[in-house]
Amino acid sequence: HHLFPSNPFLVCALDMAGWDLFGKIRKKPLYEIWGLNPADAPATDYTIGNDRLDKMIEKIKAHPSPLYKIKVGCSEDIQKLEAIREVTSSVIRIDANAGWTLEEAISYIPQLEKLHIELIEQPLSKDDWEGHALIKSKTKIPIIADESFVGEKDLASCVQSFTGINIKLTKCAGITPSLELIKKAKSQGLKIMLGCMNESSIGTSALAHMAPLADYLDADGPLLLKEDIAQGISYLDDKLILASKPGLGISIHENLQSIPKA
């Protein structure tokens, strides 16, 4: 990891490959090596992007799920969430992607509580630590850091300003640092969300093996892709089902294995 400190995506890919190989050498899936039980993993959400209300409701009806992550960050957010709540009784969590002002966020809290929103991800800009701390003090809805959290250097600030952190493997440079971050964050009282960046089944499998360590899971990447490049995990409602094969437990689709190398 120290050789490519400015390229977390590359390091993440190498780190995943290393763990996959280690698991295959040991002839065990990674969750077994770590002493974890996949049955202990939390439910994963299904993401609905910020769009026209009719389009968002159309997507919800087309993809029934017990748990949705709704992207917000515009002036009609509350109206949209109220309309969405009318068509689904599923659990709803929201992600503002730093799209709110402090004044907007504070004014939304009473309505969000009435709508039984499970959590709020990154309401304000990433450097607004005081603003996030104020929001956290005014509601029991968990406030989760995403853009505000990249790595260990951000933990101390997140403890003061957030309820939890969103750990993404490509952001944190792979499985190895993420496992360490989970330990350190939990020891400081932070909740853990494991999130994705629309990864294929390869990256999502890595998340799934770690999922029993999380409080919240956002691992719907393969469901949002037109074409996946691998197989090895499946979805049953809001639960991820892992293969029991060694390592990550995934296999590349045959039509990709024959692609010539550069």
Side-chain angles (χ1 to χ4, degrees):
H1 288 74
H2 66 282
L3 295 177
F4 306 104
S6 60
N7 198 329
F9 186 88
L10 170 61
V11 177
C12 177
L14 294 171
D15 188 68
M16 284 184 190
W19 275 106
D20 186 43
L21 179 60
F22 180 65
K24 288 173 179 174
I25 290 172
R26 295 281 301 275
K27 296 182 172 57
K28 293 181 179 180
L30 295 182
Y31 65 79
E32 187 175 329
I33 290 173
W34 299 329
L36 302 176
N37 183 353
D40 296 331
T44 184
D45 56 39
Y46 183 83
T47 302
I48 303 296
N50 198 348
D51 205 335
R52 291 200 334 252
L53 176 58
D54 61 322
K55 292 287 187 182
M56 296 173 77
I57 290 177
E58 183 181 316
K59 289 178 182 178
I60 288 171
K61 291 181 176 180
H63 298 276
S65 174
L67 173 57
Y68 290 106
K69 177 177 178 178
I70 308 295
K71 295 280 190 174
V72 296
C74 67
S75 58
E76 298 88 22
D77 284 337
I78 296 301
Q79 295 93 318
K80 285 182 177 180
L81 290 170
E82 288 175 340
I84 288 170
R85 177 50 81 204
E86 289 182 3
V87 300
T88 179
S89 59
S90 297
V91 175
I92 294 176
R93 56 182 59 156
I94 59 176
D95 181 3
N97 284 117
W100 290 343
T101 65
L102 177 59
E103 292 74 20
E104 287 173 331
I106 296 296
S107 71
Y108 293 160
I109 285 174
Q111 294 102 313
L112 296 175
E113 291 176 343
K114 288 180 181 178
L115 290 168
H116 304 290
I117 299 303
E118 183 191 33
L119 62 81
I120 305 169
E121 190 176 343
Q122 197 66 44
L124 310 178
S125 62
K126 65 179 183 178
D127 297 321
D128 193 350
W129 301 104
E130 291 184 4
H132 282 112
L134 181 59
I135 296 172
K136 176 184 172 184
S137 72
K138 289 185 175 295
T139 181
K140 293 182 179 180
I141 300 176
I143 311 298
I144 308 298
D146 184 4
E147 285 83 357
S148 293
F149 176 76
V150 177
E152 187 175 356
K153 64 179 178 59
D154 303 312
L155 275 180
S157 297
C158 285
V159 168
Q160 302 300 320
S161 299
F162 292 90
T163 314
I165 57 174
N166 188 347
I167 294 177
K168 296 177 178 176
L169 299 185
T170 51
K171 178 172 67 173
C172 301
I175 294 171
T176 302
S178 295
L179 289 172
E180 188 63 27
L181 283 168
I182 290 171
K183 290 181 185 177
K184 291 181 178 179
K186 284 188 171 184
S187 71
Q188 297 182 62
L190 287 168
K191 297 285 188 180
I192 303 299
M193 183 178 196
L194 288 178
C196 67
M197 304 276 281
N198 285 10
E199 282 93 339
S200 70
S201 286
I202 299 174
T204 306
S205 290
L207 273 184
H209 282 272
M210 300 168 59
L213 299 171
D215 300 289
Y216 312 107
L217 185 61
D218 173 32
D220 60 347
L223 298 177
L224 304 175
L225 299 176
K226 288 186 178 180
E227 184 177 4
D228 201 353
I229 64 171
Q231 60 187 15
I233 60 171
S234 58
Y235 294 82
L236 180 62
D237 292 328
D238 56 352
K239 299 293 285 187
L240 271 173
I241 309 300
L242 278 165
S244 58
K245 297 178 181 178
L248 290 173
I250 52 92
S251 56
I252 305 298
H253 287 315
E254 291 183 5
N255 62 329
L256 294 175
Q257 292 180 353
S258 59
I259 295 177
K261 296 180 179 179

